[in-house]
Every structure is written in structure tokens, then in C-alpha cells.
Amino acid sequence: MYSKELLKGTLRTIILNLLSENGKMYGYEITQKVKELSEGKIQLTEGALYPTLHKLEAEGFLTTETMNIGKRVRKYYTLTELGSEKSSSKIKEFSDFVATMQVVLGGFKTSDSK
């Protein structure tokens, strides 16, 4: 599992990218998809996810839709047009950051590479 510091800096990008790829998603679905895609290395907590979702919504990047599923009410999040643009720019920014970090750290080796 990765440190909270690394996750905090990438959470917005993760959420925007998932919504870009999957359309509308609800909070628990987002946590499970991240866990699945990261093979358990990234486990989002509600305490990190929902404030970020609410902030993205307040900034105009997401819209919400409430649906009744049986006896439960589920809130789905979808990217706005502005959110789609932001998603693309955040992904490009993150890719550039990773490439820059590899240069700065001298082509670091992971514990998996020998």
C-alpha cells in the first residue's frame, strides 16, 4: 500500500480518469475499481474520497444524480464538459511528472527489478 502523501497528490487525477473511462460511478464503486486496478495497493477511504468528490463537484468538474436502488439511495458522479477537459490535462500533467521524477531520481530501480 502506498503512503497517504502519494495518494493525496494523485486522488483528483485518479477520480477524474475513472469517471472519464467509466461514465457515471458512485463512491463505493470508485473505491472498489481503484482497489481492483491497483491490485490492492491503493485503497481509498471514505474520508479521502468523499471530500474530494464534493470539492470537484463544487468546482464544476462533476455533476451528481441520485438514484433509488431498492431501498438504498445511490449518488452517481459524472464528469461535466469542464471535468472532461480537466481530466485530460491532469493525466498529461501526471504523466509528465512521473517522467520527470524518473529523471530526477536517476532512473530509480524498484524492488522488483534486479
Side-chain angles (χ1 to χ4, degrees):
M1 213 146 106
Y2 297 113
S3 70
K4 289 180 184 179
E5 291 81 17
L6 283 174
L7 184 56
K8 186 176 181 184
T10 57
L11 186 53
R12 291 169 63 95
T13 304
I14 290 168
I15 292 169
L16 291 169
N17 185 59
L18 277 178
L19 291 173
S20 175
E21 291 180 347
N22 296 285
K24 68 181 181 182
M25 298 178 81
Y26 57 97
Y28 181 75
E29 182 179 20
I30 292 170
T31 63
Q32 294 308 296
K33 188 69 171 176
V34 169
K35 185 177 178 182
E36 173 193 330
L37 291 171
S38 70
E39 297 177 344
K41 293 178 184 175
I42 300 174
Q43 296 185 22
L44 301 180
T45 63
E46 289 182 11
L49 178 65
Y50 287 104
T52 304
L53 286 169
H54 296 153
K55 187 169 185 181
L56 288 168
E57 182 181 8
E59 293 171 345
F61 299 133
L62 304 180
T63 59
T64 59
E65 176 186 358
T66 305
M67 295 178 76
N68 292 320
I69 309 294
K71 293 184 178 186
R72 301 191 77 173
V73 176
R74 198 173 271 169
K75 189 182 219 181
Y76 284 90
Y77 298 87
T78 308
L79 291 179
T80 61
E81 186 175 328
L82 182 61
S84 292
E85 293 169 12
K86 186 69 168 178
S87 175
S88 295
S89 69
K90 292 295 280 181
I91 292 164
K92 287 176 188 170
E93 178 186 31
F94 182 74
S95 294
D96 185 58
F97 177 75
V98 169
T100 301
M101 286 301 293
Q102 287 177 326
V103 171
V104 169
L105 298 176
F108 63 93
K109 296 185 192 282
T110 65
S111 58
D112 294 337
S113 60
K114 304 217 184 241

